[in-house]
Amino acid sequence: MPRASVAAPSNADARVESFPPRVTRECRVLVLGSMPGVRSLALSQYYGHPHNLFWPFMQALCGVAADLPYATRVAALNAAGVGLWDVLKACERPGSLDSEIAAHSEEPNAIGELVASHPSLRALAFNGGKAWQSFRRHVQPRLPDAVAARVALVPLPSTSPANASVPRGSKLERWLALRQWL
């Protein structure tokens, strides 16, 4: 019996868009990912993959229980001074891996404008190398001097299950450094 062939997704099929920012006027740290993965997009939740370490790390960092309902977790995270967003507004990426993001398709979010309108923000924390790389490429060169002088830029190891090369304890130790801004 012949096997059915599955066509590779076209670039149009691989176009993904990030979520709106989850940040309040009181947030002091803005965690920036690159682009939500397939599972997160399907759930409409930041860090929705069950093996992503983000929510357990937030529990350790600011006491936000990882098993709370999503909306409650986000509200508690904001109340603890942490906001969420992504560096990229849209891109072409089949699947979930940052390495599959087509560089020519990267459209950045208006991070400079958001930070300028939230004077309480003191640090931008980058969840993984791709978020940091995309920020430096698209956002940092256009960041107003006053904003750049006010916020620390903190590259961190990815909490993604795809980042298995760094031990969990080492990752958590790096993430706990955000306490100085909370």
Side-chain angles (χ1 to χ4, degrees), residues 101-169:
I101 293 173
H104 74 274
S105 71
E106 293 180 2
E107 295 176 36
N109 272 312
I111 296 164
E113 291 86 345
L114 182 124
V115 176
S117 69
H118 289 73
S120 62
L121 285 171
R122 294 291 177 246
L124 302 180
F126 300 92
N127 191 347
K130 182 63 176 180
W132 177 232
Q133 175 193 48
S134 296
F135 176 84
R136 286 182 302 154
R137 178 178 176 203
H138 299 293
V139 180
Q140 193 172 22
R142 291 179 277 293
L143 205 59
D145 290 341
V147 171
R150 176 170 47 91
V151 295
L153 304 178
V154 187
L156 295 167
S158 175
T159 59
S160 167
N163 181 24
S165 64
V166 179
R168 179 184 176 132

Side-chain angles (χ1 to χ4, degrees), residues 21-27 29-30 78 82-84 114 118 121:
R22 303 289 189 235
V23 61
T24 63
R25 295 274 175 219
E26 295 75 32
C27 287
V29 173
L30 178 61
N78 286 166
V82 179
L84 300 172
L114 182 124
H118 289 73
L121 285 171

Side-chain angles (χ1 to χ4, degrees), residues 36-54:
V38 170
R39 180 74 179 262
S40 295
L41 291 168
L43 294 171
S44 295
Q45 297 181 2
Y46 281 102
Y47 307 104
H49 192 286
H51 298 296
N52 193 299
L53 295 173
F54 179 79

